[in-house]
């Protein structure tokens, strides 16, 4: 696949890194010679210095032969115009744009991005995606990662196995005997810096990060089995009143009348602006690193401290200070891929990575076959994929125990006619079933082949 990316910042770099590693033909455009140099020195891609919305620059990048244009510069308007130019002058089949300003995304302007106006096939709002992930974490405080599939019927959850985890040193196959009605499957484990797909004879160890797939009404019970039965957060302090902080506070007001929310925002103009948009949330003007402000926000009594400023270091330090003051849990926004491991070592419970979320969203449209959803895990070590089984798929028609499935992949759920089924040895996948599975990064291409139409079908 030939892809042109506009924007070589953290998101653009992350997309280019992933696509280049999969042997795609990638060109990347940015106005910064320094960023282009950094990308081309590191990745097997072509770099072009210039404005991503200028036709001559897009032509030099080879857009006339491209299958996809991905516009993820820092400026919404540049991203939208790049897609418009790509459609009008180069007839690019698929155009994806990152749009951050919520004004563009309001429901009554939904026709803006139609083919007759701004022909953008996929609009990605990182702030909205990150905000939703934060809200899921608040509802499931025992989880360190969550993502939903099939209209939220199926949830993939990452959970840390502590020393007191009740199921440590228990072979996974015994979990079915111990909890016969539990509709959850462990599909991946991160241990000592390595991600692997566990076998039924493997056991979980203290310190493991385990990912399981479960029906949505089984998530809380499964977390409890792993030793995490923390109640949903009700007293919340948000450090940072930007788009993400405002979105989370507004949605908490709408969805959870019992929630008591406070926002700390350093910019006085922004603090006044968001205070006018919220009804029950207390807005405090100050720094999330100011101990006095944190004490005024009663962070010591908070169920969760959420740090979502634009500075990773501020987010990490404000979480650590909040923990010292007595906050029960911390959730940090981290953009730099080098920070998550560092933050975990400092005791920060969970984090969200906008770059990983955006890359996951884009991969859904890059993947071939009947792929309906994709989420990248553990900084790209693997992917959870939701796909539709076709009549020609080798998965269809045989019990799972008879299939020659390769190592590095595990099926977590099968959805048929709206019913979620736990995969067992005698489960037979049928055409049009939705399958949710985990695959290590180097096995994703083989998973795509399982869900593509065979030429023999025609």
């Amino acid at each position: 696949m030939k892809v042109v990316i506009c924007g070589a910042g953290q998101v653009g770099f992350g997309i280019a890194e992933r696509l280049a590693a999969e042997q795609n033909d990638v060109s990347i455009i940015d106005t910064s010679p320094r960023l282009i140099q950094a990308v081309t020195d590191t990745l097997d891609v072509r770099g072009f210095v210039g404005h991503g919305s200028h036709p001559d620059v897009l032509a030099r990048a080879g857009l006339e032969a491209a299958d996809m244009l991905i516009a993820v510069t820092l400026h919404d308007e540049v991203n939208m115009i790049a897609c418009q130019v790509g459609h009008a002058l180069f007839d690019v089949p698929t155009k994806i744009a990152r749009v951050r300003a919520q004004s563009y995304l309001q429901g009554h302007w939904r026709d803006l991005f139609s083919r007759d106006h701004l022909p953008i096939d996929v609009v990605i709002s990182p702030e909205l995606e990150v905000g939703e992930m934060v809200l899921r974490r608040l509802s499931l405080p025992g989880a360190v990662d969550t993502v939903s599939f099939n209209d939220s019927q199926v949830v993939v959850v990452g959970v840390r196995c502590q020393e007191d985890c009740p199921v440590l040193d228990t072979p996974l196959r015994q979990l079915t005997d111990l909890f016969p009605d539990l509709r959850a499957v462990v599909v991946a484990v991160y241990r000592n810096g390595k991600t692997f797909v566990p076998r039924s004879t493997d056991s979980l160890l203290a310190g493991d990060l385990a990912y399981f797939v479960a029906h949505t009404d089984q998530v809380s019970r499964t977390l409890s089995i792993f030793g995490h039965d923390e109640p949903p957060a009700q007293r919340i302090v948000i450090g940072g009143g930007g788009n993400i902080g405002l979105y989370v506070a507004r949605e908490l007001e709408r969805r959870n009348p019992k929630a008591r929310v406070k926002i700390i925002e350093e910019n006085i103009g922004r603090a006044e602006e968001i205070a006018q948009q919220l009804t029950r949330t207390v807005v405090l003007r100050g720094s999330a690193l100011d101990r006095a402000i944190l004490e005024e926000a009663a962070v010591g009594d908070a169920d969760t401290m959420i740090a979502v400023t634009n500075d990773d270091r501020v987010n990490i330090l404000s979480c650590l200070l909040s923990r010292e003051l007595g906050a029960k849990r911390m959730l940090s926004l981290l953009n730099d891929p080098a920070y998550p491991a560092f933050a975990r070592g400092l005791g920060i419970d969970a984090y969200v990575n906008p770059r990983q979320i955006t890359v996951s969203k884009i991969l859904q449209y890059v993947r071939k076959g009947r792929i309906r959803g994709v989420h990248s895990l553990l900084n790209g070590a693997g992917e959870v994929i939701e796909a539709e089984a076709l009549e020609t798929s080798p998965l269809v028609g045989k019990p799972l125990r008879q299939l020659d499935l390769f190592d590095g992949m595990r099926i977590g759920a099968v959805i048929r006619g709206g019913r979620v089924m736990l995969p067992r040895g005698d489960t037979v996948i049928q055409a049009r079933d939705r399958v949710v599975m985990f695959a290590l990064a180097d096995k994703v291409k083989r998973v795509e082949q399982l869900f593509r139409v065979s030429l023999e079908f025609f």
Side-chain angles (χ1 to χ4, degrees):
M1 177 180 289
K2 181 173 178 55
V3 181
V4 175
I5 301 171
C6 298
Q10 289 190 350
V11 172
F13 183 97
I15 297 166
E17 181 180 40
R18 196 61 175 276
L19 296 182
E22 297 177 4
Q23 309 305 312
N24 291 289
D25 184 350
V26 179
S27 299
I28 189 164
I29 301 168
D30 201 281
T31 56
S32 168
R34 179 183 59 83
L35 289 178
I36 291 298
Q37 187 68 48
V39 172
T40 54
D41 285 349
T42 308
L43 307 176
D44 183 17
V45 303
R46 291 187 300 276
F48 299 87
V49 178
H51 290 273
S53 58
H54 289 187
D56 59 325
V57 178
L58 290 168
R60 284 195 291 120
L63 191 60
E64 72 282 352
D67 301 293
M68 181 178 294
L69 171 65
I70 302 173
V72 288
T73 74
L74 293 176
H75 307 288
D76 292 349
E77 292 73 19
V78 171
N79 298 336
M80 292 188 287
I81 294 300
C83 290
Q84 176 74 69
V85 173
H87 171 76
L89 300 183
F90 300 97
D91 197 25
V92 182
T94 303
K95 300 161 291 294
I96 299 175
R98 177 172 68 171
V99 178
R100 303 176 69 183
Q102 298 303 298
S103 176
Y104 288 121
L105 304 174
Q106 293 178 15
H108 49 284
W109 308 126
R110 63 171 59 92
D111 290 339
L112 175 63
F113 300 113
S114 68
R115 192 171 183 84
D116 294 331
H117 298 101
L118 280 174
I120 302 174
D121 300 295
V122 182
V123 175
I124 295 176
S125 172
E127 285 79 6
L128 189 150
E129 299 290 341
V130 170
E132 285 297 321
M133 182 163 284
V134 168
L135 291 166
R136 289 197 296 271
R137 299 284 180 82
L138 291 174
S139 65
L140 297 170
V144 300
D145 199 1
T146 59
V147 61
S148 59
F149 292 94
N150 199 58
D151 297 326
S152 298
Q153 277 191 300
V154 175
V155 183
V156 180
V157 179
V159 58
R160 185 76 60 184
C161 299
Q162 309 290 1
E163 295 284 353
D164 58 351
C165 176
V167 294
L168 291 183
D169 302 315
T170 302
L172 293 178
R173 64 185 176 192
Q174 289 188 18
L175 295 182
T176 303
D177 299 329
L178 293 171
F179 309 100
D181 59 339
L182 183 66
R183 298 161 72 187
V185 177
V186 177
V187 295
V189 176
Y190 178 78
R191 177 184 299 163
N192 298 326
K194 181 180 179 181
T195 303
F196 65 95
V197 174
R199 299 177 181 273
S200 60
T201 54
D202 289 332
S203 301
L204 297 174
L205 306 179
D208 284 354
L209 176 56
Y211 281 86
F212 65 82
V213 178
H215 189 280
T216 186
D217 62 8
Q218 294 280 301
V219 173
S220 295
R221 183 187 174 204
T222 308
L223 284 170
S224 178
I225 289 171
F226 279 87
H228 292 276
D229 54 2
E230 300 92 335
Q234 300 290 358
R235 293 170 296 183
I236 301 153
V237 176
I238 302 173
N243 289 336
I244 297 173
L246 175 60
Y247 180 84
V248 171
R250 185 190 292 127
E251 289 302 302
L252 284 170
E253 287 188 346
R254 186 175 69 86
R255 304 180 192 184
N256 187 356
K258 295 181 179 180
R260 290 183 287 171
V261 184
K262 297 174 183 176
I263 292 183
I264 300 172
E265 170 55 42
E266 191 166 17
N267 182 282
I268 187 170
R270 179 63 178 176
E272 292 173 351
E273 178 185 346
I274 63 176
Q276 294 175 359
Q277 299 183 49
L278 299 167
T279 56
R280 294 185 289 108
T281 300
V282 176
V283 180
L284 302 174
R285 191 259 167 174
S287 169
L289 293 178
D290 188 328
R291 189 184 187 96
I293 289 292
L294 290 171
E295 290 177 340
E296 184 179 349
V299 75
D301 297 324
D303 296 321
T304 304
M305 166 63 181
I306 305 171
V308 287
T309 75
N310 290 324
D311 190 320
D312 287 357
R313 290 167 293 185
V314 170
N315 294 336
I316 291 173
L317 292 174
S318 64
C319 282
L320 296 179
L321 184 54
S322 298
R323 183 180 65 180
E324 181 183 326
L325 292 171
K328 293 184 178 65
R329 290 179 293 275
M330 286 74 63
L331 176 59
S332 176
L333 182 73
L334 297 176
N335 289 281
D336 192 320
Y339 281 162
F342 171 70
R344 281 196 298 269
L346 294 174
I348 295 176
D349 306 90
Y351 69 94
V352 289
N353 185 330
R355 184 178 82 158
Q356 180 171 299
I357 293 170
T358 305
V359 171
S360 294
K361 196 74 174 180
I362 290 172
L363 285 176
Q364 178 176 338
Y365 302 95
V366 173
R367 293 282 170 253
K368 298 178 177 66
R370 294 295 183 91
I371 306 299
R372 304 302 186 188
V374 174
H375 186 76
S376 179
L377 297 180
L378 298 165
N379 203 27
E383 294 178 14
V384 182
I385 298 171
E386 177 192 350
E388 180 183 345
L390 301 173
E391 292 180 28
T392 55
S393 171
L395 294 177
V396 170
K398 296 180 181 179
L400 291 183
R401 65 166 61 95
Q402 295 182 16
L403 295 178
D404 185 21
L405 296 178
F406 48 86
D407 291 336
M409 183 197 90
R410 186 161 191 181
I411 295 174
V414 178
I415 304 105
R416 179 179 303 153
R419 184 168 62 94
V420 179
M421 300 183 296
L422 186 73
R424 299 186 183 278
D426 58 354
T427 300
V428 178
I429 295 176
Q430 300 177 6
R432 300 188 182 280
D433 283 354
R434 295 287 184 92
V435 181
V436 178
M437 69 188 72
F438 173 83
L440 295 175
D442 61 349
K443 306 298 183 183
V444 169
K445 288 298 181 184
R446 296 185 65 180
V447 172
E448 288 181 354
Q449 295 297 324
L450 294 176
F451 296 96
R452 295 183 70 176
V453 176
S454 170
L455 292 177
E456 298 173 356
F457 181 69
F458 295 100

